[in-house]
Amino acid sequence: MATAETAFTGNAKQQRSPSTPMATEPPAPANQPMYASRPEIYPRSVKGAFRKLKWAGLWVLLGLYYIGPWLRWDRGPGAPDQALLIDMPGRRAYFFGLEIWPQEIYYITGLLILGAVGLFLVTAWAGRVWCGFTCPQTVWTDLFMWVERKIEGDRNARMRLDKGPLTASKTFKKVTKHIAWLFIALVTGGAWIMYFTDAPTFVVDFVTGQASTALYGFTALFTATTYVLAGWAREQVCIYMCPWPRFQGAMFDEDSLIVTYEEWRGEPRGGARKNQSFEGRGHCVDCGMCWQVCPTGVDIRKGQQMACIGCALCVDACNNIMDRFGLPGDLITYDSINNQLARAKGEPTRKRWFRPRILVYIGVLTIVASIMVFSLATRSRLEVNVLRDRSPLFVKLSDGDIRNGYTFKILNMEREAKTYTLTTDGINGATMAVIGHQKESVPTVELPVKPDDVAPFRIFVTAPRAALDGKSTDLDFVLTDNHTGEIVEHATVFAGPGQ
Ligand code: SF4
Ligand code: SF4
């Protein structure tokens, strides 16, 4: 492997690779056909502050993802004890002590809004941090590249291996790499499934061949997508498939942090030897390290590009080179446009963290988060749905009274059996009969509901004709929790024949 030391002694041949005519230019397809074939990218390993940050983020995020389904949370008998679970058959989402019913899907909407605005805020502050450090595509591609490097070696070794003939050693390395990738993809796909079913049960069922066809199918699907996207597609997902790079520019301003090359300091570039004078020339020694470490093959010296995911590995690479030549760091810098312009003019730099757009994002985040926290803290665990019979609208009884039918559903979202008292309000003399519970029509009925259940009741409300206001009279159902005293009211109408 050509070391950085040899690369900057002016021996350009040592930088050249079999697939690249010039080491200082990233590979590009010849003649630019309408659909260009993908130039293979062989990212070189690099050391530095941003690489350390990326490793830390990668291991933390992967750890959280793989460990997540194994965390337990005691919710009492009969309830799943998995801390993070989306229970599709049971129609519930569990997040530690929080239990979301389908009727409360707006909390998921709130979370998505928080996520989106949070992303806008981070992008306006620090550029493509999401893309470069935390996006699953970036994290798994980084992991797959790490595995590839461990098995096939660094950039030059991999290039030699791919160019070379098919030998036993090459076959062994390639097969080992793909087995390792498939194993990671299987664990990743399986972990995703575990967020939707009990993790220990799934693992036992999966390895003993007792899991359902659907579970095997979905595991295979997510295994295949992980393997293809992180192993084969890699940077093409960011460049061609992902919509985010296409509109994230709207969040940037001149004070957002971005990765850029300080052209005013780097040009005119050229090869250099150690201890030589840089008087009258730029600091870029044209070593090509910046694009050789780039996971998307970008030469950042050509200016900002959509393919640049902001991972800052080129900053590390260039800083290492600047160190070797005793030059100031940050020729490729992770800083704002304003600060770069200030440095070019010899003016002091400054960080403007709180700009109007940042304050707007923080404001929206605060409002949405406050609404969600307040709503969660005060949410009722009792809900009522009422559906009035449409056919017939009403029945005239032999004694002249009018009867309406309703389907009355009580959602008991607590894990204990409840008994509720139901009354009506708005029509004098109204009484109720409940099929299977209350045969005679009475003013007040008791309704039992099992723990964590939705109980439907067929209720017939009977009212004296004289108490009605024509064809439609307002009627309230008033439901009281006998244990807590919590009251839920539901407004509806009572249909009559008119005057
Ligand atoms: S910008 Fe830095 S890393 Fe890139 S070619 Fe110039 S000196 Fe090398
Ligand atoms: S140009 Fe630099 S910051 Fe952009 S993707 Fe490549 S290495 Fe990362």
Side-chain angles (χ1 to χ4, degrees):
M1 187 186 83
T3 63
E5 193 73 46
T6 57
F8 316 124
T9 54
N11 186 352
K13 275 187 180 171
Q14 290 187 51
Q15 303 170 38
R16 290 179 188 168
S17 69
S19 67
T20 54
M22 288 286 290
T24 54
E25 289 291 325
N31 301 327
Q32 294 291 350
M34 184 177 286
Y35 299 102
S37 58
R38 174 194 179 227
E40 187 68 39
I41 294 171
Y42 297 89
R44 186 188 285 277
S45 64
V46 62
K47 289 191 172 127
F50 287 107
R51 183 61 266 186
K52 277 189 191 152
L53 198 60
K54 261 174 84 67
W55 283 135
L58 182 145
W59 296 122
V60 168
L61 290 170
L62 288 178
L64 289 175
Y65 174 75
Y66 291 122
I67 291 169
W70 296 94
L71 300 175
R72 301 289 105 182
W73 190 267
D74 185 10
R75 298 187 181 89
D81 67 347
Q82 189 158 310
L84 303 168
L85 177 68
I86 297 172
D87 179 5
M88 298 294 240
R91 297 183 181 180
R92 299 281 196 294
Y94 299 94
F95 184 77
F96 295 94
L98 207 60
E99 192 174 324
I100 307 289
W101 281 53
Q103 292 79 0
E104 300 173 310
I105 196 77
Y106 46 83
Y107 286 120
I108 309 289
T109 311
L111 272 181
L112 291 175
I113 294 172
L114 281 181
V117 181
L119 194 53
F120 297 168
L121 174 65
V122 171
T123 305
W125 254 335
R128 295 183 69 174
V129 174
W130 164 258
C131 302
F133 294 82
T134 53
C135 168
Q137 176 63 25
T138 296
V139 170
W140 265 276
T141 299
D142 222 6
L143 177 65
F144 274 49
M145 283 181 181
W146 177 75
V147 170
E148 185 175 62
R149 218 172 279 132
K150 288 283 167 208
I151 296 171
E152 295 184 357
D154 207 349
R155 172 183 162 83
N156 291 355
R158 292 201 308 277
M159 288 166 73
R160 274 197 304 274
L161 190 73
D162 281 1
K163 284 280 174 190
L166 188 63
T167 61
S169 162
K170 179 173 177 176
T171 307
F172 175 76
K173 285 180 179 174
K174 292 285 176 194
V175 169
T176 309
K177 178 179 83 174
H178 286 284
I179 289 174
W181 280 359
L182 279 169
F183 176 75
I184 296 171
L186 176 65
V187 173
T188 305
W192 183 248
I193 300 296
M194 288 180 215
Y195 283 95
F196 294 84
T197 185
D198 183 63
T201 311
F202 168 71
V203 170
V204 172
D205 287 353
F206 190 89
V207 296
T208 55
Q210 295 174 58
S212 66
T213 311
L215 288 184
Y216 281 117
F218 278 115
T219 307
L221 176 70
F222 294 124
T223 300
T225 47
T226 307
Y227 173 71
V228 170
L229 295 182
W232 294 91
R234 297 188 173 183
E235 80 289 345
Q236 295 179 94
V237 176
C238 314
I239 297 172
Y240 302 114
M241 293 165 68
C242 181
W244 176 235
R246 271 131 190 105
F247 62 85
Q248 64 171 339
M251 282 111 222
F252 287 148
D253 60 21
E254 291 74 16
D255 287 295
S256 306
L257 303 184
I258 51 168
V259 177
T260 34
Y261 168 65
E262 301 218 311
E263 196 175 334
W264 61 273
R265 177 154 87 86
E267 303 299 321
R269 69 180 81 157
R273 296 176 193 284
K274 256 186 151 184
N275 302 322
Q276 79 160 63
S277 166
F278 281 83
E279 197 61 40
R281 55 155 291 171
H283 287 179
C284 174
V285 298
D286 214 7
C287 60
M289 283 293 149
C290 44
W291 64 259
Q292 290 180 24
V293 301
C294 179
T296 59
V298 164
D299 184 348
I300 198 68
R301 295 172 299 170
K302 292 179 179 169
Q304 260 189 290
Q305 293 153 61
M306 194 182 69
C308 168
I309 59 171
C311 67
L313 294 183
C314 52
V315 179
D316 281 345
C318 192
N319 278 345
N320 293 340
I321 302 305
M322 294 295 107
D323 275 356
R324 286 166 191 268
F325 282 89
L327 294 167
D330 290 339
L331 175 57
I332 297 177
T333 178
Y334 201 158
D335 205 348
S336 67
I337 300 263
N338 274 342
N339 279 350
Q340 287 189 56
L341 291 174
R343 268 196 297 277
K345 293 181 201 157
E347 294 170 359
T349 59
R350 64 183 183 134
K351 297 257 187 287
R352 281 186 66 225
W353 292 110
F354 296 103
R355 290 114 54 195
R357 71 173 58 207
I358 298 282
L359 295 176
V360 169
Y361 293 145
I362 291 176
V364 174
L365 274 180
T366 309
I367 291 168
V368 176
S370 305
I371 291 172
M372 281 189 68
V373 169
F374 177 78
S375 159
L376 278 170
T378 58
R379 71 179 178 157
S380 171
R381 300 285 72 206
L382 169 64
E383 222 175 85
V384 163
N385 285 326
V386 179
L387 193 63
R388 190 166 62 82
D389 289 357
R390 301 280 168 189
S391 180
L393 269 178
F394 62 89
V395 173
K396 191 174 172 188
L397 302 180
S398 56
D399 60 1
D401 285 353
I402 305 300
R403 195 181 76 187
N404 278 200
Y406 299 86
T407 300
F408 191 91
K409 282 187 185 168
I410 301 177
L411 283 72
N412 172 20
M413 298 187 227
E414 293 193 38
R415 299 211 167 266
E416 56 180 294
K418 296 270 185 173
T419 302
Y420 302 96
T421 300
L422 180 66
T423 57
T424 58
D425 192 18
I427 301 178
N428 282 334
T431 55
M432 290 173 287
V434 184
I435 292 178
H437 290 273
Q438 175 63 48
K439 200 170 176 192
E440 301 300 323
S441 200
V442 291
T444 300
V445 293
E446 300 274 305
L447 302 174
V449 182
K450 288 185 207 156
D452 192 38
D453 196 20
V454 181
F457 298 95
R458 284 286 296 145
I459 296 181
F460 292 108
V461 179
T462 304
R465 183 166 179 176
L468 303 181
D469 293 337
K471 288 190 174 176
S472 176
T473 306
D474 290 339
L475 174 73
D476 287 340
F477 282 110
V478 183
L479 189 76
T480 307
D481 183 329
N482 289 357
H483 182 61
T484 63
E486 182 183 357
I487 294 174
V488 173
E489 293 190 26
H490 190 98
T492 182
V493 291
F494 188 94
Q499 299 307 319

